[in-house]
Amino acid sequence: MHCCGDFPFFFFFFFFLLYFYQVLTMAAASEEPDADGSVLFGQLQGTVVGLRYYTGVVNQGEMVGLVREPQNPYDRNAVMVANIYGNQVGHIKRELAAAMAYVMDNKLAKVEGVVHYGTKNKFNMPVMLSFWGKEENKNTVVESMLRRGYKLNTGGIKSAGTYILSLVSALLYSYVLDIVTKEAFLCFQLKNAFDNLFEGLMESKDGEKEASVATPLLLHQKQALSWMCSRENKCTLPPFWEKRGDLYYNTLTHFSAREVPERVRGGILADDMGLGKTLTTIALILTNFHNGKPLPVEMSVSVNNMKQCKCGEYTNQNTSSQNNEQNSNSNLCNLCPYDAESTVLLEDLDFAAALSGSTSDAGFKKKKTNKIWARVDKYLKTDLLHLLIPCLNDCLLLLSSVNLQDQFEQHVHANVKLNVYLYYGSERNRSKKFLSSQDVVITTYNVLSADFENKSPLHGIHWLRVVLDEGHTIRNPNAQMSKAVLQLKAQRRWILSGTPIQNSVKDLWTLLAFLRLKPFDVREWWNRVIQRPAMQGDRAGLQNLQTLVKCITLRRTKTSEVNGRPLVSLPEKMVCVEQVELNQQEREEYELARNEGRSTIGRYVAEGTVLRNYADVLAILMRLRQHCCHPDLLAKISSDLGAAATPAELRERLVEKLRLVLASGSDEECSVCLDSVCLPVITHCAHVYCRPCIAKVISTQQGTARCPLCRSDIKETELVEVPLEEMEDESSTHAKKWRTSSKVQALMGNLLRLQSEDRSIKCLVVSQFTRFLSILETPLREHGFSFVRLDGTMSQKKRAQVIQDFQSSAANSPSIMLLSLKAGGVGLNLTAASHVFLMDPAWNPATEEQCIDRCHRLGQKRKVVVTKFIVKDSVEENMVRIQRKKQDLVEKAFGSANTDKKTSRIDDIKALLEL
DNA sequence: ACCGCCGGGTGCC
DNA sequence: ACCGCCGGGTGCC
């Protein structure tokens, strides 16, 4: 890695110092920045009083929470002390509370408490308080506490010798810290940690399961299904809990409680893309889809024969005896004795029942079925069987933009009547009663989030199961979407995600909070116990994080093996590049544009102003790329570089540039948040950022704000966004007489050849330019191809329709899909197509890969052929070269620093024009 | 709480 | 004694 490799010596020393610090000062003041950039200001022994008034108890070494109580009628400075379950233990002594209240209320520091001894005291007990906050507030906090007579112990007890040593090391430490940035340090530490995080998740989990999906499950999917079932049903303790005597003890926080800790009924299915997470989940839904009706015959008989529960209701077979909301709410079946073992067995019955619908693996099935039925016989005579029927059958699925409904239709047996409702579109049925009567409700994160604003029916329903497809969507806990998701009420919760951690450990919190993994669903405990230690590179912290993830996550990659065999064997994929030669006229036009652009960019490079004129550079490249595809793609306004006459003109020009930058796909990342740009705005110096990100930069730099990329002055009022009427007026392309281009002809030649070979072949035709797709429609129509089109501008409903049409195997179904490169989420399933034509190279090779994966994935029966059209002797050829370099870069870099990006971008531009 | 603090009872040695 | 001292009641914030 670039940033780390340059300073081996410093790193060595750095780690030595870090180690030194940790050993020497232990829990005492280390200056390590924590997750939020907080540092430990110091510690202080305090007193918790009033123990006898409260029921909350703590164990030796237990962490406690400190909560301000400004409304306390006796003292508005009151600070409450509570254990992890939020049970009050006592209060902080009055005078100390007064000092702390000032610090806490002004957010100068966060205070954390640990009780090391005196936990058996009757009236009060000592508590070790740690003050954490931003470096710049340290002095204020220390002084303010000192003023009230409380001295923060900042260094622990040191002898003179170690004091000097640590002083020296502190100096060096800050020196090193200046050189290698925080990111560099973290990337070094975390890279390995992340690599290991999911290690050990691949081991084969116990057993496999059959299911009543029409599509036979693959071995690894059966394993996943079995794992999911056991996660929902087995009564194993959550991670870090132990039974000690008659108490349940949390080994990390040292908290203990008499009641069984609430289990996580669900988890994270983090299999790689294309391993069939969705199919497995559908199978899971079907395993306990009974609702009285669709039970297979044999089972129905058994059901009729068996006794009902005394209370006259069938209850969910999967509800565990403890702390189940259903039970505690309605007291339905408290009388029925059942334990962990029988729950599992009963749940096996489901599978036995469901098996009769399935067709695969006859020998295996038979054996297993017999075994299960032996158990059925054993259990038939007991009162337990009523548990087979779930009371709740609602299941909510959330997803980004995926054709999930098709997958239900495709995979679910025709004899299983499953009510699936798509909850989106303006006409959606918002009746709670109606939604509750569905078996499955599918919606999108956006709809959920929009509903959340004003009494959402989805939030009023108690779901049996909530599944988050592409669950990493909620990784930002501050997003409305995430908040909306966290508020959903459900018994069982699942997250499907190929990439549960994208940037940092932080990404995990919302996921754990969604799963209600106590106590880490409360931010403070997550930060204290997991995130901060892990970010600091603390071994135990990382170990804990790994254990935690391991317990609730199943992850396999495409290269994983079960019993020595690869998990999936996808049909072969062939990628070939087809060179396209421009005809003479096209070549002349291209050369003209290229020479012009080359001299312009050459000037920028010589002046060192490439970044300042970034938009122009991109515009030039864009024009060249458009030349390669079709002459009519070129924007009608040739943006001359002269000064804008009026503000309106300047604005129009900026909008145009922003469009170009966005369309070019080269700058999808905002340099501030390093994430893909949301709410894109362009500065007057023509650099693109997320509006919130750049607004923050401007507001923090009060009046002197400079563009993070080129250091030009920027103002909030000068940010320009693309007006809503985004789409180009189609008339301009239609008005002119349609003409062909070399690339169009290359494509048509291929399509016609394929059609003559095999009429059933379906193709994806992919371009970054939606206008190019429009141009392609004309020759497709002329040759009588039946095609559909999918681009980003289409509504959710329309997309679903288009995908369904295209995936259909009916004889008159469309054989070609015109697909805009960026349209559709990662989960999009277009397996009906076996040929992919990439009309123009993308800057980001991953985008192309993703696009290919939409059809080269599970369910693909044919060999996949990918054809990339590249114009010979053009900017496109150079782009391919840069792509390769980029891929290497991405693989090596981990959170690559901004500076690297800048230089590599300039290098890219130079390479493109062979400068 | 085997403390501190409060306030009433009390008052030479 | 407008004090000190004693001993009982009492006790988080």
Side-chain angles (χ1 to χ4, degrees), chain A residues 337-366:
Chain A
Y338 62 104
D339 55 26
E341 201 206 354
S342 63
T343 310
V344 174
L345 290 173
L346 284 166
E347 171 245 318
D348 279 350
L349 296 182
D350 292 352
F351 290 105
L355 272 171
S356 47
S358 137
T359 50
S360 70
D361 243 348
F364 161 82
K365 189 182 72 186
K366 187 122 188 143

Side-chain angles (χ1 to χ4, degrees), chain A residues 219-252:
Chain A
L219 184 62
H220 76 274
Q221 293 167 338
K222 289 178 193 166
Q223 286 177 344
L225 177 58
S226 161
W227 176 76
M228 289 177 97
C229 283
S230 74
R231 290 268 347 138
E232 287 193 349
N233 299 303
K234 268 193 194 146
C235 291
T236 45
L237 289 174
F240 309 119
W241 290 88
E242 280 174 13
K243 183 144 193 188
R244 292 195 179 172
D246 54 352
L247 290 178
Y248 295 91
Y249 184 81
N250 186 301
T251 54
L252 288 187

Side-chain angles (χ1 to χ4, degrees), chain A residues 412-653:
Chain A
V412 174
H413 241 274
N415 63 1
V416 178
K417 288 275 173 292
L418 205 59
N419 290 321
V420 180
Y421 184 68
L422 299 183
Y423 184 76
Y424 48 69
S426 53
E427 298 297 297
R428 62 178 179 263
N429 189 336
R430 299 163 150 276
S431 148
K432 253 166 70 176
K433 204 172 163 199
F434 168 78
L435 291 170
S436 303
S437 72
Q438 299 297 309
D439 297 307
V440 176
V441 174
I442 299 176
T443 190
T444 68
Y445 291 96
N446 286 327
V447 168
L448 181 80
S449 166
D451 265 21
F452 188 50
E453 315 265 286
N454 47 58
K455 46 179 171 173
S456 147
L458 299 183
H459 287 88
I461 293 171
H462 198 117
W463 304 94
L464 171 69
R465 190 184 281 112
V466 170
V467 180
L468 310 184
D469 200 8
E470 303 302 336
H472 51 261
T473 323
I474 61 159
R475 71 175 181 281
N476 175 5
N478 300 319
Q480 276 308 107
M481 219 149 71
S482 310
K483 288 177 186 165
V485 169
L486 291 186
Q487 289 298 312
L488 288 167
K489 281 172 274 181
Q491 275 187 37
R492 313 171 193 193
R493 297 153 176 277
W494 285 102
I495 292 160
L496 314 183
S497 173
T499 48
I501 292 191
Q502 279 191 342
N503 297 311
S504 84
V505 191
K506 282 182 187 172
D507 291 354
L508 261 179
W509 181 77
T510 347
L511 305 189
L512 298 184
F514 168 73
L515 295 175
R516 308 274 159 101
L517 182 71
K518 307 257 154 55
F520 305 118
D521 54 337
V522 173
R523 243 333 225 295
E524 180 181 353
W525 305 118
W526 162 255
N527 283 339
R528 283 178 69 172
V529 181
I530 306 284
Q531 185 175 313
R532 190 171 56 217
M535 297 285 282
Q536 287 181 0
D538 173 72
R539 269 185 162 263
L542 285 168
Q543 182 61 53
N544 289 336
L545 177 63
Q546 190 171 346
T547 308
L548 190 69
V549 170
K550 201 169 165 174
C551 288
I552 54 166
T553 308
L554 179 67
R555 172 167 176 86
R556 283 85 51 90
T557 62
K558 277 179 188 166
T559 52
S560 304
E561 295 187 346
V562 213
N563 307 334
R565 289 179 170 203
L567 230 49
V568 282
S569 48
L570 285 177
E572 205 185 324
K573 177 176 84 179
M574 210 175 78
V575 182
C576 50
V577 172
E578 186 168 327
Q579 282 202 337
V580 177
E581 297 247 18
L582 295 180
N583 64 32
Q584 202 191 335
Q585 194 196 338
E586 286 169 339
R587 175 54 69 186
E588 276 168 15
E589 285 173 22
Y590 180 87
E591 288 302 323
L592 207 69
R594 175 169 173 268
N595 290 335
E596 192 185 304
R598 226 173 128 158
S599 69
T600 310
I601 295 175
R603 205 172 63 235
Y604 293 147
V605 173
E607 291 168 2
T609 55
V610 176
L611 285 173
R612 223 171 252 271
N613 295 292
Y614 198 46
D616 275 331
V617 173
L618 285 171
I620 291 166
L621 295 175
M622 172 63 82
R623 253 173 275 143
L624 293 180
R625 289 163 60 200
Q626 289 171 329
H627 266 293
C628 290
C629 290
H630 197 277
D632 290 347
L633 282 179
L634 289 157
K636 39 203 183 299
I637 335 136
S638 64
S639 60
D640 63 293
L641 303 171
T646 66
E649 251 178 69
L650 176 67
R651 204 193 137 77
E652 183 46 46
R653 204 161 294 169

Side-chain angles (χ1 to χ4, degrees), chain A residues 27 81 150 165-166 168 223 234 361 382 472 545 578 604 629 660 665 681 802 832 883:
Chain A
V81 179
Y150 294 100
L165 227 172
S166 62
V168 170
Q223 286 177 344
K234 268 193 194 146
D361 243 348
T382 74
H472 51 261
L545 177 63
E578 186 168 327
Y604 293 147
C629 290
L660 278 166
V681 289
V802 162
Q883 268 192 0

